[in-house]
Amino acid sequence: MGILSKLFGSSTVKETNNMSNVKLAVIYYSSTGTNYELAQWAEQGAKENGAEVKVLKVPETAPQAAIDSNPAWKAHVEATKDVPEVKLEDLEWADAIIFSIPTRFGNMPAQMKQFLDTTGGLWFNGKLVNKVVSAMTSAQNPHGGQEATLLSLYTTMHHWGALVASPGYTDPVTFAAGGNPYGTSVTVGQDGKMIEDVQAAVKHQAKRTVTVAEWVKKGNQ
């Protein structure tokens, strides 16, 4: 059996059936739109596999002057003004969560960190245990902190007692998207456009996250 068959043969079979009854929150932060687009693809992939999905943004904490100084940032904020902001009850509602964030010096953005820092009450009461989670990210170059950003976010997830369902190499689409096993990551050029074609990888990651959440739900019944 070849290496690709070893990597992909068995998992592909296990994940072919549509999921049902899984509630997925796709929680993102995006200043100019890349991670919002990733979040939308995740929503599509999860819905194609039977999940109930909410796409939610974390609150913007940057000063308005900073936003106004960047036309692309200002335009994106205006374009997504009707996207609901995530609330703590959304975390309780969800069986699974996909995060999508840009990198900030190899770490998560302050906006996402500030939201996660409000989850202490849920954590203390065991409300986040066994949530199935995965994450996606973007940067302006392939080595701009993409892997470190995902790992930094997963550190919080381990404290939650959540179950990280990273894509690994469970489907060949991961290679076409750059080969990041921790979560789909994409490089964004100076023109603001994605360089790698990651749509299929995002949809596979959403499917895998929903699949694992379905296994967890069935195991708890």
PDB file of all heavy atoms in Angstrom, residues 10-45:
ATOM      1  N   SER A  10      -8.342   4.945   4.383  1.00  0.00           N
ATOM      2  CA  SER A  10      -9.344   4.559   5.375  1.00  0.00           C
ATOM      3  C   SER A  10     -10.195   5.728   5.833  1.00  0.00           C
ATOM      4  O   SER A  10     -11.393   5.604   5.984  1.00  0.00           O
ATOM      5  CB  SER A  10      -8.657   3.932   6.594  1.00  0.00           C
ATOM      6  OG  SER A  10      -7.757   4.840   7.177  1.00  0.00           O
ATOM      7  N   SER A  11      -9.588   6.909   6.016  1.00  0.00           N
ATOM      8  CA  SER A  11     -10.353   8.033   6.564  1.00  0.00           C
ATOM      9  C   SER A  11     -11.398   8.520   5.580  1.00  0.00           C
ATOM     10  O   SER A  11     -12.471   8.960   5.960  1.00  0.00           O
ATOM     11  CB  SER A  11      -9.415   9.189   6.932  1.00  0.00           C
ATOM     12  OG  SER A  11      -8.768   9.694   5.797  1.00  0.00           O
ATOM     13  N   THR A  12     -11.079   8.429   4.271  1.00  0.00           N
ATOM     14  CA  THR A  12     -12.038   8.897   3.279  1.00  0.00           C
ATOM     15  C   THR A  12     -13.310   8.084   3.342  1.00  0.00           C
ATOM     16  O   THR A  12     -14.413   8.595   3.268  1.00  0.00           O
ATOM     17  CB  THR A  12     -11.420   8.815   1.868  1.00  0.00           C
ATOM     18  OG1 THR A  12     -10.231   9.599   1.847  1.00  0.00           O
ATOM     19  CG2 THR A  12     -12.404   9.331   0.828  1.00  0.00           C
ATOM     20  N   VAL A  13     -13.173   6.768   3.519  1.00  0.00           N
ATOM     21  CA  VAL A  13     -14.344   5.908   3.598  1.00  0.00           C
ATOM     22  C   VAL A  13     -15.176   6.240   4.816  1.00  0.00           C
ATOM     23  O   VAL A  13     -16.398   6.317   4.760  1.00  0.00           O
ATOM     24  CB  VAL A  13     -13.913   4.426   3.640  1.00  0.00           C
ATOM     25  CG1 VAL A  13     -15.106   3.534   3.905  1.00  0.00           C
ATOM     26  CG2 VAL A  13     -13.240   4.046   2.329  1.00  0.00           C
ATOM     27  N   LYS A  14     -14.522   6.479   5.919  1.00  0.00           N
ATOM     28  CA  LYS A  14     -15.233   6.729   7.172  1.00  0.00           C
ATOM     29  C   LYS A  14     -16.020   8.031   7.145  1.00  0.00           C
ATOM     30  O   LYS A  14     -16.955   8.194   7.890  1.00  0.00           O
ATOM     31  CB  LYS A  14     -14.240   6.758   8.338  1.00  0.00           C
ATOM     32  CG  LYS A  14     -13.617   5.407   8.642  1.00  0.00           C
ATOM     33  CD  LYS A  14     -12.629   5.538   9.794  1.00  0.00           C
ATOM     34  CE  LYS A  14     -11.958   4.217  10.098  1.00  0.00           C
ATOM     35  NZ  LYS A  14     -10.957   4.357  11.178  1.00  0.00           N
ATOM     36  N   GLU A  15     -15.616   8.985   6.290  1.00  0.00           N
ATOM     37  CA  GLU A  15     -16.203  10.308   6.343  1.00  0.00           C
ATOM     38  C   GLU A  15     -17.147  10.600   5.190  1.00  0.00           C
ATOM     39  O   GLU A  15     -17.463  11.738   4.895  1.00  0.00           O
ATOM     40  CB  GLU A  15     -15.091  11.369   6.373  1.00  0.00           C
ATOM     41  CG  GLU A  15     -14.222  11.264   7.605  1.00  0.00           C
ATOM     42  CD  GLU A  15     -13.156  12.340   7.671  1.00  0.00           C
ATOM     43  OE1 GLU A  15     -13.213  13.290   6.876  1.00  0.00           O
ATOM     44  OE2 GLU A  15     -12.270  12.237   8.519  1.00  0.00           O
ATOM     45  N   THR A  16     -17.665   9.563   4.500  1.00  0.00           N
ATOM     46  CA  THR A  16     -18.481   9.808   3.335  1.00  0.00           C
ATOM     47  C   THR A  16     -19.937  10.074   3.662  1.00  0.00           C
ATOM     48  O   THR A  16     -20.633  10.727   2.909  1.00  0.00           O
ATOM     49  CB  THR A  16     -18.407   8.600   2.376  1.00  0.00           C
ATOM     50  OG1 THR A  16     -18.721   7.402   3.116  1.00  0.00           O
ATOM     51  CG2 THR A  16     -17.032   8.467   1.762  1.00  0.00           C
ATOM     52  N   ASN A  17     -20.446   9.563   4.773  1.00  0.00           N
ATOM     53  CA  ASN A  17     -21.853   9.759   5.096  1.00  0.00           C
ATOM     54  C   ASN A  17     -22.115  11.175   5.583  1.00  0.00           C
ATOM     55  O   ASN A  17     -21.319  11.757   6.300  1.00  0.00           O
ATOM     56  CB  ASN A  17     -22.284   8.765   6.190  1.00  0.00           C
ATOM     57  CG  ASN A  17     -22.222   7.343   5.693  1.00  0.00           C
ATOM     58  OD1 ASN A  17     -22.410   7.084   4.509  1.00  0.00           O
ATOM     59  ND2 ASN A  17     -21.951   6.413   6.594  1.00  0.00           N
ATOM     60  N   ASN A  18     -23.249  11.746   5.174  1.00  0.00           N
ATOM     61  CA  ASN A  18     -23.612  13.072   5.641  1.00  0.00           C
ATOM     62  C   ASN A  18     -23.843  13.070   7.143  1.00  0.00           C
ATOM     63  O   ASN A  18     -24.390  12.135   7.700  1.00  0.00           O
ATOM     64  CB  ASN A  18     -24.873  13.559   4.929  1.00  0.00           C
ATOM     65  CG  ASN A  18     -24.587  14.064   3.534  1.00  0.00           C
ATOM     66  OD1 ASN A  18     -23.438  14.178   3.135  1.00  0.00           O
ATOM     67  ND2 ASN A  18     -25.632  14.374   2.798  1.00  0.00           N
ATOM     68  N   MET A  19     -23.444  14.164   7.778  1.00  0.00           N
ATOM     69  CA  MET A  19     -23.622  14.280   9.208  1.00  0.00           C
ATOM     70  C   MET A  19     -25.044  14.760   9.495  1.00  0.00           C
ATOM     71  O   MET A  19     -25.758  15.216   8.619  1.00  0.00           O
ATOM     72  CB  MET A  19     -22.629  15.290   9.777  1.00  0.00           C
ATOM     73  CG  MET A  19     -21.177  14.972   9.440  1.00  0.00           C
ATOM     74  SD  MET A  19     -20.650  13.335   9.945  1.00  0.00           S
ATOM     75  CE  MET A  19     -20.444  12.550   8.355  1.00  0.00           C
ATOM     76  N   SER A  20     -25.447  14.675  10.727  1.00  0.00           N
ATOM     77  CA  SER A  20     -26.757  15.187  11.109  1.00  0.00           C
ATOM     78  C   SER A  20     -26.709  15.653  12.553  1.00  0.00           C
ATOM     79  O   SER A  20     -25.957  15.119  13.364  1.00  0.00           O
ATOM     80  CB  SER A  20     -27.831  14.110  10.948  1.00  0.00           C
ATOM     81  OG  SER A  20     -27.567  13.009  11.790  1.00  0.00           O
ATOM     82  N   ASN A  21     -27.489  16.676  12.849  1.00  0.00           N
ATOM     83  CA  ASN A  21     -27.687  17.140  14.221  1.00  0.00           C
ATOM     84  C   ASN A  21     -26.454  17.755  14.860  1.00  0.00           C
ATOM     85  O   ASN A  21     -26.421  17.934  16.073  1.00  0.00           O
ATOM     86  CB  ASN A  21     -28.194  15.997  15.117  1.00  0.00           C
ATOM     87  CG  ASN A  21     -29.492  15.409  14.604  1.00  0.00           C
ATOM     88  OD1 ASN A  21     -30.381  16.141  14.173  1.00  0.00           O
ATOM     89  ND2 ASN A  21     -29.598  14.086  14.645  1.00  0.00           N
ATOM     90  N   VAL A  22     -25.436  18.091  14.085  1.00  0.00           N
ATOM     91  CA  VAL A  22     -24.260  18.757  14.638  1.00  0.00           C
ATOM     92  C   VAL A  22     -24.438  20.261  14.481  1.00  0.00           C
ATOM     93  O   VAL A  22     -24.762  20.764  13.405  1.00  0.00           O
ATOM     94  CB  VAL A  22     -22.969  18.298  13.937  1.00  0.00           C
ATOM     95  CG1 VAL A  22     -21.789  19.189  14.335  1.00  0.00           C
ATOM     96  CG2 VAL A  22     -22.665  16.854  14.286  1.00  0.00           C
ATOM     97  N   LYS A  23     -24.218  20.988  15.577  1.00  0.00           N
ATOM     98  CA  LYS A  23     -24.313  22.442  15.560  1.00  0.00           C
ATOM     99  C   LYS A  23     -22.892  23.014  15.540  1.00  0.00           C
ATOM    100  O   LYS A  23     -22.101  22.756  16.450  1.00  0.00           O
ATOM    101  CB  LYS A  23     -25.082  22.921  16.785  1.00  0.00           C
ATOM    102  CG  LYS A  23     -26.557  22.489  16.777  1.00  0.00           C
ATOM    103  CD  LYS A  23     -27.289  22.880  18.045  1.00  0.00           C
ATOM    104  CE  LYS A  23     -26.845  22.038  19.223  1.00  0.00           C
ATOM    105  NZ  LYS A  23     -27.680  22.269  20.441  1.00  0.00           N
ATOM    106  N   LEU A  24     -22.592  23.773  14.499  1.00  0.00           N
ATOM    107  CA  LEU A  24     -21.249  24.309  14.292  1.00  0.00           C
ATOM    108  C   LEU A  24     -21.265  25.829  14.343  1.00  0.00           C
ATOM    109  O   LEU A  24     -22.048  26.473  13.655  1.00  0.00           O
ATOM    110  CB  LEU A  24     -20.706  23.857  12.932  1.00  0.00           C
ATOM    111  CG  LEU A  24     -19.386  24.491  12.486  1.00  0.00           C
ATOM    112  CD1 LEU A  24     -18.231  23.998  13.345  1.00  0.00           C
ATOM    113  CD2 LEU A  24     -19.121  24.205  11.012  1.00  0.00           C
ATOM    114  N   ALA A  25     -20.374  26.397  15.158  1.00  0.00           N
ATOM    115  CA  ALA A  25     -20.137  27.836  15.163  1.00  0.00           C
ATOM    116  C   ALA A  25     -18.825  28.109  14.431  1.00  0.00           C
ATOM    117  O   ALA A  25     -17.791  27.542  14.793  1.00  0.00           O
ATOM    118  CB  ALA A  25     -20.071  28.369  16.587  1.00  0.00           C
ATOM    119  N   VAL A  26     -18.884  28.912  13.398  1.00  0.00           N
ATOM    120  CA  VAL A  26     -17.673  29.352  12.701  1.00  0.00           C
ATOM    121  C   VAL A  26     -17.396  30.768  13.198  1.00  0.00           C
ATOM    122  O   VAL A  26     -18.133  31.705  12.889  1.00  0.00           O
ATOM    123  CB  VAL A  26     -17.849  29.335  11.176  1.00  0.00           C
ATOM    124  CG1 VAL A  26     -16.542  29.747  10.495  1.00  0.00           C
ATOM    125  CG2 VAL A  26     -18.286  27.953  10.699  1.00  0.00           C
ATOM    126  N   ILE A  27     -16.353  30.911  13.994  1.00  0.00           N
ATOM    127  CA  ILE A  27     -16.050  32.173  14.664  1.00  0.00           C
ATOM    128  C   ILE A  27     -14.783  32.757  14.042  1.00  0.00           C
ATOM    129  O   ILE A  27     -13.746  32.090  14.002  1.00  0.00           O
ATOM    130  CB  ILE A  27     -15.862  31.950  16.172  1.00  0.00           C
ATOM    131  CG1 ILE A  27     -17.127  31.320  16.777  1.00  0.00           C
ATOM    132  CG2 ILE A  27     -15.523  33.259  16.878  1.00  0.00           C
ATOM    133  CD1 ILE A  27     -16.972  30.890  18.224  1.00  0.00           C
ATOM    134  N   TYR A  28     -14.878  33.992  13.565  1.00  0.00           N
ATOM    135  CA  TYR A  28     -13.749  34.541  12.823  1.00  0.00           C
ATOM    136  C   TYR A  28     -13.440  35.969  13.255  1.00  0.00           C
ATOM    137  O   TYR A  28     -14.272  36.669  13.841  1.00  0.00           O
ATOM    138  CB  TYR A  28     -14.039  34.505  11.318  1.00  0.00           C
ATOM    139  CG  TYR A  28     -14.975  35.608  10.853  1.00  0.00           C
ATOM    140  CD1 TYR A  28     -14.468  36.819  10.371  1.00  0.00           C
ATOM    141  CD2 TYR A  28     -16.354  35.462  10.922  1.00  0.00           C
ATOM    142  CE1 TYR A  28     -15.314  37.841   9.974  1.00  0.00           C
ATOM    143  CE2 TYR A  28     -17.209  36.478  10.515  1.00  0.00           C
ATOM    144  CZ  TYR A  28     -16.674  37.670  10.043  1.00  0.00           C
ATOM    145  OH  TYR A  28     -17.517  38.685   9.664  1.00  0.00           O
ATOM    146  N   TYR A  29     -12.209  36.364  12.953  1.00  0.00           N
ATOM    147  CA  TYR A  29     -11.848  37.785  12.946  1.00  0.00           C
ATOM    148  C   TYR A  29     -11.203  38.075  11.605  1.00  0.00           C
ATOM    149  O   TYR A  29     -10.342  37.311  11.146  1.00  0.00           O
ATOM    150  CB  TYR A  29     -10.882  38.172  14.064  1.00  0.00           C
ATOM    151  CG  TYR A  29     -10.451  39.612  13.888  1.00  0.00           C
ATOM    152  CD1 TYR A  29     -11.352  40.636  14.177  1.00  0.00           C
ATOM    153  CD2 TYR A  29      -9.219  39.945  13.359  1.00  0.00           C
ATOM    154  CE1 TYR A  29     -11.010  41.959  13.959  1.00  0.00           C
ATOM    155  CE2 TYR A  29      -8.871  41.266  13.136  1.00  0.00           C
ATOM    156  CZ  TYR A  29      -9.771  42.264  13.430  1.00  0.00           C
ATOM    157  OH  TYR A  29      -9.446  43.575  13.186  1.00  0.00           O
ATOM    158  N   SER A  30     -11.611  39.165  10.977  1.00  0.00           N
ATOM    159  CA  SER A  30     -11.059  39.532   9.679  1.00  0.00           C
ATOM    160  C   SER A  30     -11.034  41.037   9.570  1.00  0.00           C
ATOM    161  O   SER A  30     -12.051  41.700   9.819  1.00  0.00           O
ATOM    162  CB  SER A  30     -11.913  38.939   8.551  1.00  0.00           C
ATOM    163  OG  SER A  30     -11.288  39.088   7.300  1.00  0.00           O
ATOM    164  N   SER A  31      -9.888  41.600   9.211  1.00  0.00           N
ATOM    165  CA  SER A  31      -9.812  43.050   9.047  1.00  0.00           C
ATOM    166  C   SER A  31     -10.130  43.467   7.618  1.00  0.00           C
ATOM    167  O   SER A  31     -10.813  44.470   7.400  1.00  0.00           O
ATOM    168  CB  SER A  31      -8.433  43.573   9.461  1.00  0.00           C
ATOM    169  OG  SER A  31      -7.409  42.902   8.769  1.00  0.00           O
ATOM    170  N   THR A  32      -9.675  42.688   6.634  1.00  0.00           N
ATOM    171  CA  THR A  32      -9.921  43.077   5.244  1.00  0.00           C
ATOM    172  C   THR A  32     -10.655  42.025   4.427  1.00  0.00           C
ATOM    173  O   THR A  32     -10.850  42.213   3.227  1.00  0.00           O
ATOM    174  CB  THR A  32      -8.595  43.442   4.543  1.00  0.00           C
ATOM    175  OG1 THR A  32      -7.705  42.321   4.595  1.00  0.00           O
ATOM    176  CG2 THR A  32      -7.938  44.645   5.195  1.00  0.00           C
ATOM    177  N   GLY A  33     -11.049  40.905   5.042  1.00  0.00           N
ATOM    178  CA  GLY A  33     -11.951  39.997   4.359  1.00  0.00           C
ATOM    179  C   GLY A  33     -11.491  38.581   4.126  1.00  0.00           C
ATOM    180  O   GLY A  33     -12.310  37.707   3.840  1.00  0.00           O
ATOM    181  N   THR A  34     -10.197  38.300   4.241  1.00  0.00           N
ATOM    182  CA  THR A  34      -9.713  36.958   3.923  1.00  0.00           C
ATOM    183  C   THR A  34     -10.338  35.902   4.823  1.00  0.00           C
ATOM    184  O   THR A  34     -10.874  34.898   4.350  1.00  0.00           O
ATOM    185  CB  THR A  34      -8.180  36.889   4.046  1.00  0.00           C
ATOM    186  OG1 THR A  34      -7.592  37.804   3.119  1.00  0.00           O
ATOM    187  CG2 THR A  34      -7.678  35.479   3.748  1.00  0.00           C
ATOM    188  N   ASN A  35     -10.283  36.117   6.120  1.00  0.00           N
ATOM    189  CA  ASN A  35     -10.793  35.099   7.042  1.00  0.00           C
ATOM    190  C   ASN A  35     -12.314  35.040   7.065  1.00  0.00           C
ATOM    191  O   ASN A  35     -12.891  34.011   7.416  1.00  0.00           O
ATOM    192  CB  ASN A  35     -10.211  35.316   8.438  1.00  0.00           C
ATOM    193  CG  ASN A  35      -8.774  34.856   8.506  1.00  0.00           C
ATOM    194  OD1 ASN A  35      -8.496  33.683   8.746  1.00  0.00           O
ATOM    195  ND2 ASN A  35      -7.844  35.777   8.254  1.00  0.00           N
ATOM    196  N   TYR A  36     -12.961  36.109   6.668  1.00  0.00           N
ATOM    197  CA  TYR A  36     -14.411  36.051   6.482  1.00  0.00           C
ATOM    198  C   TYR A  36     -14.747  35.122   5.322  1.00  0.00           C
ATOM    199  O   TYR A  36     -15.689  34.330   5.397  1.00  0.00           O
ATOM    200  CB  TYR A  36     -14.959  37.449   6.226  1.00  0.00           C
ATOM    201  CG  TYR A  36     -16.448  37.491   5.961  1.00  0.00           C
ATOM    202  CD1 TYR A  36     -17.359  36.903   6.835  1.00  0.00           C
ATOM    203  CD2 TYR A  36     -16.954  38.141   4.837  1.00  0.00           C
ATOM    204  CE1 TYR A  36     -18.725  36.945   6.598  1.00  0.00           C
ATOM    205  CE2 TYR A  36     -18.318  38.203   4.592  1.00  0.00           C
ATOM    206  CZ  TYR A  36     -19.198  37.598   5.472  1.00  0.00           C
ATOM    207  OH  TYR A  36     -20.546  37.647   5.222  1.00  0.00           O
ATOM    208  N   GLU A  37     -13.955  35.202   4.251  1.00  0.00           N
ATOM    209  CA  GLU A  37     -14.183  34.311   3.112  1.00  0.00           C
ATOM    210  C   GLU A  37     -13.904  32.858   3.494  1.00  0.00           C
ATOM    211  O   GLU A  37     -14.656  31.948   3.120  1.00  0.00           O
ATOM    212  CB  GLU A  37     -13.314  34.724   1.927  1.00  0.00           C
ATOM    213  CG  GLU A  37     -13.675  34.005   0.626  1.00  0.00           C
ATOM    214  CD  GLU A  37     -13.061  34.640  -0.601  1.00  0.00           C
ATOM    215  OE1 GLU A  37     -12.263  35.593  -0.455  1.00  0.00           O
ATOM    216  OE2 GLU A  37     -13.385  34.177  -1.712  1.00  0.00           O
ATOM    217  N   LEU A  38     -12.845  32.613   4.251  1.00  0.00           N
ATOM    218  CA  LEU A  38     -12.577  31.259   4.739  1.00  0.00           C
ATOM    219  C   LEU A  38     -13.746  30.756   5.584  1.00  0.00           C
ATOM    220  O   LEU A  38     -14.159  29.600   5.468  1.00  0.00           O
ATOM    221  CB  LEU A  38     -11.287  31.232   5.558  1.00  0.00           C
ATOM    222  CG  LEU A  38      -9.973  31.569   4.847  1.00  0.00           C
ATOM    223  CD1 LEU A  38      -8.809  31.487   5.834  1.00  0.00           C
ATOM    224  CD2 LEU A  38      -9.727  30.673   3.653  1.00  0.00           C
ATOM    225  N   ALA A  39     -14.283  31.631   6.424  1.00  0.00           N
ATOM    226  CA  ALA A  39     -15.419  31.254   7.276  1.00  0.00           C
ATOM    227  C   ALA A  39     -16.635  30.884   6.444  1.00  0.00           C
ATOM    228  O   ALA A  39     -17.363  29.927   6.760  1.00  0.00           O
ATOM    229  CB  ALA A  39     -15.754  32.400   8.230  1.00  0.00           C
ATOM    230  N   GLN A  40     -16.860  31.602   5.366  1.00  0.00           N
ATOM    231  CA  GLN A  40     -18.000  31.306   4.495  1.00  0.00           C
ATOM    232  C   GLN A  40     -17.822  29.957   3.809  1.00  0.00           C
ATOM    233  O   GLN A  40     -18.786  29.198   3.643  1.00  0.00           O
ATOM    234  CB  GLN A  40     -18.169  32.421   3.470  1.00  0.00           C
ATOM    235  CG  GLN A  40     -18.673  33.728   4.068  1.00  0.00           C
ATOM    236  CD  GLN A  40     -18.773  34.835   3.048  1.00  0.00           C
ATOM    237  OE1 GLN A  40     -17.810  35.180   2.363  1.00  0.00           O
ATOM    238  NE2 GLN A  40     -19.964  35.399   2.917  1.00  0.00           N
ATOM    239  N   TRP A  41     -16.599  29.649   3.392  1.00  0.00           N
ATOM    240  CA  TRP A  41     -16.352  28.332   2.783  1.00  0.00           C
ATOM    241  C   TRP A  41     -16.543  27.215   3.801  1.00  0.00           C
ATOM    242  O   TRP A  41     -17.076  26.150   3.465  1.00  0.00           O
ATOM    243  CB  TRP A  41     -14.942  28.287   2.206  1.00  0.00           C
ATOM    244  CG  TRP A  41     -14.761  29.099   0.956  1.00  0.00           C
ATOM    245  CD1 TRP A  41     -15.738  29.510   0.099  1.00  0.00           C
ATOM    246  CD2 TRP A  41     -13.526  29.612   0.438  1.00  0.00           C
ATOM    247  NE1 TRP A  41     -15.189  30.249  -0.924  1.00  0.00           N
ATOM    248  CE2 TRP A  41     -13.835  30.321  -0.744  1.00  0.00           C
ATOM    249  CE3 TRP A  41     -12.207  29.536   0.859  1.00  0.00           C
ATOM    250  CZ2 TRP A  41     -12.840  30.955  -1.517  1.00  0.00           C
ATOM    251  CZ3 TRP A  41     -11.235  30.162   0.095  1.00  0.00           C
ATOM    252  CH2 TRP A  41     -11.546  30.855  -1.075  1.00  0.00           C
ATOM    253  N   ALA A  42     -16.123  27.463   5.028  1.00  0.00           N
ATOM    254  CA  ALA A  42     -16.341  26.466   6.081  1.00  0.00           C
ATOM    255  C   ALA A  42     -17.830  26.248   6.303  1.00  0.00           C
ATOM    256  O   ALA A  42     -18.290  25.110   6.492  1.00  0.00           O
ATOM    257  CB  ALA A  42     -15.657  26.903   7.373  1.00  0.00           C
ATOM    258  N   GLU A  43     -18.589  27.336   6.293  1.00  0.00           N
ATOM    259  CA  GLU A  43     -20.041  27.224   6.430  1.00  0.00           C
ATOM    260  C   GLU A  43     -20.619  26.357   5.316  1.00  0.00           C
ATOM    261  O   GLU A  43     -21.437  25.457   5.569  1.00  0.00           O
ATOM    262  CB  GLU A  43     -20.677  28.612   6.388  1.00  0.00           C
ATOM    263  CG  GLU A  43     -22.201  28.586   6.446  1.00  0.00           C
ATOM    264  CD  GLU A  43     -22.821  29.950   6.227  1.00  0.00           C
ATOM    265  OE1 GLU A  43     -22.177  30.818   5.590  1.00  0.00           O
ATOM    266  OE2 GLU A  43     -23.965  30.163   6.670  1.00  0.00           O
ATOM    267  N   GLN A  44     -20.197  26.597   4.090  1.00  0.00           N
ATOM    268  CA  GLN A  44     -20.693  25.815   2.961  1.00  0.00           C
ATOM    269  C   GLN A  44     -20.354  24.340   3.124  1.00  0.00           C
ATOM    270  O   GLN A  44     -21.201  23.463   2.934  1.00  0.00           O
ATOM    271  CB  GLN A  44     -20.096  26.346   1.656  1.00  0.00           C
ATOM    272  CG  GLN A  44     -20.558  27.743   1.274  1.00  0.00           C
ATOM    273  CD  GLN A  44     -19.746  28.332   0.130  1.00  0.00           C
ATOM    274  OE1 GLN A  44     -19.030  27.615  -0.586  1.00  0.00           O
ATOM    275  NE2 GLN A  44     -19.830  29.645  -0.048  1.00  0.00           N
ATOM    276  N   GLY A  45     -19.095  24.057   3.479  1.00  0.00           N
ATOM    277  CA  GLY A  45     -18.674  22.664   3.621  1.00  0.00           C
ATOM    278  C   GLY A  45     -19.432  21.949   4.717  1.00  0.00           C
ATOM    279  O   GLY A  45     -19.800  20.778   4.571  1.00  0.00           O
TER     280      GLY A  45
END
